[in-house]
Amino acid sequence: MRVAVVHSGTSADAIDVALVDIVTDERAGVTDMTPLILTDVAWPSALRDRVLAIALGEPVSIAEVARLDVQIGEAFADAVIRAGCHEADLVVAPGQTVYHWVEGGRTRGTLQLGRSAVIAERTGAAVVSDLRAADIAAGGTGAPLMPVFDGAWLGAEAAHSGEAIATLNLGGIANISRITPVGTASGWDTGPANGLLDAVVMRATSGRESFDDDGYRAASGRVNRHLLQIMEGHPYFAQAPPKSTGRETFALDFVDAAVHTLGGDVPVDDLLATLVRLTARTVAESLRRAGGASTLIASGGGVRNSALMASMGDALAEDGCTLTTSAERGIDPIHKESLLFAFVGYFSAHAIPIALDPKVGPRVAGVTTPAGWAANTRVSSIGEMQIRERHMK
Ligand SMILES: Nc1ncnc2c1ncn2[C@@H]1O[C@H](COP(=O)(O)OP(=O)(O)O)[C@@H](O)[C@H]1O
Ligand SMILES: [Mg+2]
């Protein structure tokens, strides 16, 4: 099956698009994934600005939510077509997360925009969306989804080596998966990653720069230890996994409040250096408390930030854990999430329940919107309608 994927993470840095050929050999119990296209397409800039503003907590009207839902759907459909993925059998479109509702430590809901009907109509393919809703409805955290993929990808390696293997996705938020030798796969969000770095850079440059290229600024700054300590006091870090968070929890007000508590100004580069160390330390600490791992395989845009990778390597080395990237095992780190969505969406389209959260148990992960003109095999036309009397027994 040719599966197209279109998505954008919490950073909303670009619209990621992929086309993956997926074949399952049921007898061997193996699913082969062959990436055919892995690319990204720029967001329409005004749309991206609104998405980012909303993700960072700006108030928004219901009317605008309704408009954005369609406009994001259109942008995603255009991205699929422009990337040359329009001949897919299926489009997996998890949508742009605009809100993640967590209350009292429990995930209650999540909202992704990018209307599936618009994508189905424009691409002519069936669309799988809403990958997190069923898990959350059943009491799960709905995020991260990566452990399912990592368990299937790395389970055999962990069993063979007898040691746990972890993966780390450095997107707007950082999330970990931990795969044990006995085959359990758990995952959680450790806290902020690129999202805060981007927000600080954008504000400091009045929007001229949107990220700290290669971590250059962070590398030239100095970690403010007292500020780091204040930030590490956020209750999210003390919470035990499974847990998930979003950009509304770790936005600029989190940084500003910490700087305010510190009293006095902190130069931007020092702030970035401190945030980089915060990400590295909270990832390492969180993994240690979960039992550790021999190797941590990183992916996501953050692997391009050398300052972040260096800090991460140092923090993990203290626990005897080696940092590497998914490139060393054949997955382009920038596009690993696309492969994840292809994998999950493929099983959703086949109505195969998968366990996103081991405590909740397997659920069919997504909602399928059929291709607009696809005929149902049992009922092929509507025809005339008659009202009949109910037969009483
Ligand atoms: N060359 C680079 N140098 C530093 N950071 C980078 C670079 N390229 C990408 N990034 C970071 O990665 C982020 C995007 O990562 P990505 O995995 O796409 O996150 P998300 O899933 O949240 O969209 C950017 O916002 C930026 O912070
Ligand atoms: Mg991205």
Side-chain angles (χ1 to χ4, degrees), residues 11 13 48 52 194-203 205-213 247:
S11 302
D13 57 313
R48 174 178 191 254
L52 272 182
N194 300 311
L196 277 183
L197 302 175
D198 291 355
V200 166
V201 170
M202 267 186 245
R203 183 168 65 180
T205 62
S206 307
R208 286 187 308 279
E209 292 171 34
S210 59
F211 63 100
D212 181 15
D213 198 353
R247 290 196 66 174

Side-chain angles (χ1 to χ4, degrees), residues 4-253:
V5 175
V6 59
H7 69 106
S8 162
T10 49
S11 302
D13 57 313
I15 301 175
D16 294 311
V17 187
L19 185 66
V20 187
D21 191 41
I22 308 186
V23 180
T24 299
D25 180 339
E26 300 246 26
R27 279 226 199 129
V30 174
T31 295
D32 284 324
M33 299 185 67
T34 312
L36 304 173
I37 296 174
L38 295 172
T39 187
D40 57 58
V41 174
W43 270 97
S45 65
L47 192 55
R48 174 178 191 254
D49 289 347
R50 281 312 288 156
V51 165
L52 272 182
I54 291 163
L56 293 173
E58 194 160 304
V60 57
S61 69
I62 288 291
E64 190 181 2
V65 171
R67 285 196 295 269
L68 283 172
D69 194 22
V70 172
Q71 288 164 344
I72 293 171
E74 288 169 349
F76 282 6
D78 286 350
V80 169
I81 293 163
R82 277 170 56 193
C85 302
H86 46 285
E87 288 192 356
D89 303 308
L90 178 74
V91 176
V92 182
Q96 178 69 44
T97 298
V98 288
Y99 190 68
H100 205 60
W101 180 21
V102 182
E103 206 171 286
R106 196 159 79 84
T107 306
R108 302 288 314 279
T110 187
L111 183 63
Q112 283 80 33
L113 301 184
R115 192 140 279 258
S116 60
V118 172
I119 302 171
E121 182 59 35
R122 297 210 171 189
T123 62
V127 174
V128 172
S129 58
D130 244 343
L131 298 178
R132 306 171 196 274
D135 182 56
I136 292 175
T141 53
L145 302 176
M146 200 56 100
V148 175
F149 179 87
D150 287 334
W153 182 45
L154 300 167
E157 185 182 333
H160 188 74
S161 70
E163 288 181 302
I165 302 176
T167 75
L168 170 69
N169 192 62
L170 290 167
I173 294 287
N175 61 271
I176 277 189
S177 307
R178 185 170 177 271
I179 316 303
T180 68
V182 292
T184 54
S186 55
W188 64 96
D189 290 340
T190 61
N194 300 311
L196 277 183
L197 302 175
D198 291 355
V200 166
V201 170
M202 267 186 245
R203 183 168 65 180
T205 62
S206 307
R208 286 187 308 279
E209 292 171 34
S210 59
F211 63 100
D212 181 15
D213 198 353
D214 200 26
Y216 180 80
R217 285 169 175 278
S220 48
R222 279 176 45 183
V223 175
N224 184 317
R225 293 196 176 280
H226 191 193
L227 181 64
L228 179 64
Q229 211 176 16
I230 295 167
M231 288 176 168
E232 284 181 338
H234 191 285
Y236 184 77
F237 301 126
Q239 206 179 307
K243 56 181 179 174
S244 67
T245 187
R247 290 196 66 174
E248 54 283 326
T249 302
F250 292 106
L252 281 173
D253 54 0

